[in-house]
């Protein structure tokens, strides 16, 4: 099933929600002088950049194979996820640097917290709803780009909550250094997310095998055919390209089997795998068994 339009809609919704939050956070952050709110605005800025990358990547990955990309464009999703992770790490470094400067040379200006509390509360509620929708679409469409974008928003919920708690503590205690401390907290959360996403996307770029649960499903299917329609599975190779799961099989069949019979068996195996693993693309090569094959006897 083609989920490209639904993925593009999800990415566009993320762009709109992040654009709104960035505007509100920047306005309130600069008006109040709160570093933690400005840090959150930068975090949302990285989110909207990630959303743009996700939007472009899902459109690009949905294109069919062509002369320059005979295996399709699925890798654009992994590539986008990799750059999203690097972008988030860069934002974290910037916030660390700014927070250190403010910690060493704190401002004597009083910090207004009311509008910051309002904006952070709104940010938490909005991102909860949008991230849930993106996770739903990402899981259904098996899209690493949409899932990565949803992960950004979920982390944004946590960092916004951290800033909200910090602002409430400032209102109760009057200790403005709390604002800088919670900016550090936001930076740590952002850095952790960036590293996680970069490593996850790198797995796809380096053609790491499919998750163990997918391999178990594959082996369960193939084991039903061994000793019945085929002699053995010589080797199984898997990798991921965006939402597509690439599966290569070499199977051993009876040496006297006709081409038509072998083709029919391959179709049966391909059909069952495709029905079990969403987005599977299967390539099967047949080889004849040896003269002393036990299956033949």
């Amino acid at each position: 099933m083609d989920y490209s339009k639904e993925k593009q809609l999800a990415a566009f919704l993320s762009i709109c929600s992040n654009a709104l939050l960035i505007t509100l956070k920047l306005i309130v952050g600069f008006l109040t002088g709160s570093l933690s709110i400005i840090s959150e605005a930068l975090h949302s800025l990285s989110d909207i950049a990630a959303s743009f990358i996700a939007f472009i990547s899902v459109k690009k990955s949905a294109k069919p194979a062509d002369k320059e990309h005979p295996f399709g464009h699925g890798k654009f999703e992994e590539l986008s996820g990799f750059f999203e992770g690097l972008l988030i790490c860069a934002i974290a470094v910037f916030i660390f640097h700014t927070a250190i400067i403010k910690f060493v040379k704190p401002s004597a200006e009083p910090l207004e917290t009311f509008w910051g509390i309002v904006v952070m509360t709104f940010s938490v509620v909005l991102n909860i709803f949008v991230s849930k929708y993106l996770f739903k679409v990402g899981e259904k469409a098996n899209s690493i780009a949409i899932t990565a974008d949803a992960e950004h928003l979920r982390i944004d919920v946590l960092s916004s909550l951290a800033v909200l708690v910090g602002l409430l503590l400032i209102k109760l205690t009057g200790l403005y250094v709390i604002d800088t401390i919670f900016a550090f907290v936001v930076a740590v959360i952002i850095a952790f997310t960036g590293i996680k996403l970069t490593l996850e996307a790198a797995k796809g770029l380096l053609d790491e095998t499919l998750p163990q649960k997918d391999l178990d499903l594959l082996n369960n299917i193939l084991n039903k055919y061994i000793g019945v329609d085929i002699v053995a599975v010589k080797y199984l190779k898997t990798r991921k390209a965006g939402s597509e799961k690439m599966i290569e099989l070499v199977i051993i069949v009876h040496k006297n089997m006709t081409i038509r019979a072998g083709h029919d068996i391959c179709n049966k195996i391909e059909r069952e795998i495709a029905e079990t693993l969403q987005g599977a693309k299967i390539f099967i090569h047949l080889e004849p068994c040896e003269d002393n094959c036990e299956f033949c006897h």
Side-chain angles (χ1 to χ4, degrees):
M1 188 176 292
D2 185 11
Y3 293 103
S4 58
K5 290 188 180 297
E6 194 167 358
K7 289 193 291 183
Q8 290 175 37
L9 176 62
F12 182 71
L13 174 63
S14 180
I15 291 171
C16 293
S17 66
N18 277 314
L20 174 62
L21 291 177
I22 287 169
T23 303
L24 293 175
K25 289 175 184 177
L26 283 176
I27 291 172
V28 173
F30 283 112
L31 287 177
T32 62
S34 170
L35 178 60
S36 60
I37 297 177
I38 295 172
S39 298
E40 260 301 285
L42 292 174
H43 188 190
S44 294
L45 186 62
S46 73
D47 286 341
I48 198 170
S51 299
F52 270 115
I53 294 173
F55 183 71
I56 294 169
S57 71
V58 295
K59 288 191 72 173
K60 189 73 174 177
S61 65
K63 290 184 177 181
D66 53 32
K67 186 177 180 180
E68 289 77 22
H69 305 90
F71 292 99
H73 298 77
K75 287 290 183 182
F76 278 96
E77 290 205 31
E78 272 85 3
L79 189 62
S80 76
F82 184 78
F83 282 111
E84 286 173 27
L86 291 180
L87 174 64
I88 292 173
C89 289
I91 294 291
V93 170
F94 176 79
I95 295 173
F96 268 121
H97 179 261
T98 307
I100 289 171
I101 293 174
K102 190 163 185 178
F103 190 79
V104 174
K105 296 180 179 180
S107 173
E109 295 286 330
L111 185 63
E112 172 58 47
T113 58
F114 174 76
W115 287 110
I117 291 171
V118 171
V119 169
M120 287 300 104
T121 303
F122 176 69
S123 175
V124 169
V125 174
L126 180 61
N127 279 331
I128 285 174
F129 282 105
V130 177
S131 64
K132 281 186 176 181
Y133 174 68
L134 263 62
F135 271 119
K136 182 179 178 181
V137 174
E139 182 179 359
K140 183 166 63 173
N142 195 25
S143 170
I144 188 173
I146 296 299
T147 302
D149 201 11
E151 189 72 36
H152 296 167
L153 295 183
R154 184 165 67 177
I155 297 301
D156 205 16
V157 170
L158 297 177
S159 59
S160 294
L161 277 173
V163 173
L164 179 59
V165 170
L167 293 173
L168 289 171
L169 288 174
I170 292 170
K171 193 172 185 66
L172 292 173
T173 65
L175 296 174
Y176 300 134
V177 71
I178 293 174
D179 184 62
T180 306
I181 293 172
F182 274 84
F184 277 116
V185 173
V186 172
V188 171
I189 293 172
I190 295 173
F192 177 79
T193 307
I195 293 170
K196 179 183 175 183
L197 289 175
T198 301
L199 293 176
E200 188 65 31
K203 292 178 182 178
L205 291 173
L206 296 174
D207 286 335
E208 186 176 87
T209 189
L210 293 179
Q212 188 59 47
K213 64 177 183 179
D214 289 342
L215 294 178
D216 290 340
L217 290 172
L218 278 171
N219 287 320
N220 289 338
I221 293 171
L222 296 173
N223 287 336
K224 293 191 298 185
Y225 290 90
I226 296 175
V228 181
D229 295 309
I230 66 176
V231 177
V233 176
K234 187 172 182 179
Y235 75 70
L236 167 64
K237 290 183 179 181
T238 65
R239 63 186 177 90
K240 199 168 182 294
S243 58
E244 295 178 341
K245 299 175 180 179
M246 304 296 190
I247 300 164
E248 294 182 31
L249 276 172
V250 174
I251 59 176
I252 310 297
V253 297
H254 192 292
K255 61 180 178 292
N256 294 324
M257 181 178 286
T258 64
I259 294 175
R260 172 57 65 86
H263 182 264
D264 290 342
I265 290 172
C266 288
N267 281 343
K268 283 171 60 179
I269 294 173
E270 288 177 3
R271 186 163 51 249
E272 187 167 355
I273 292 174
E275 290 172 354
T276 305
L277 290 179
Q278 181 186 316
K281 283 195 171 183
I282 308 103
F283 305 90
I284 303 178
H285 174 70
L286 295 179
E287 289 188 4
C289 63
E290 302 293 335
D291 292 334
N292 58 350
C293 174
E294 294 181 6
F295 182 75
C296 296
H297 292 303

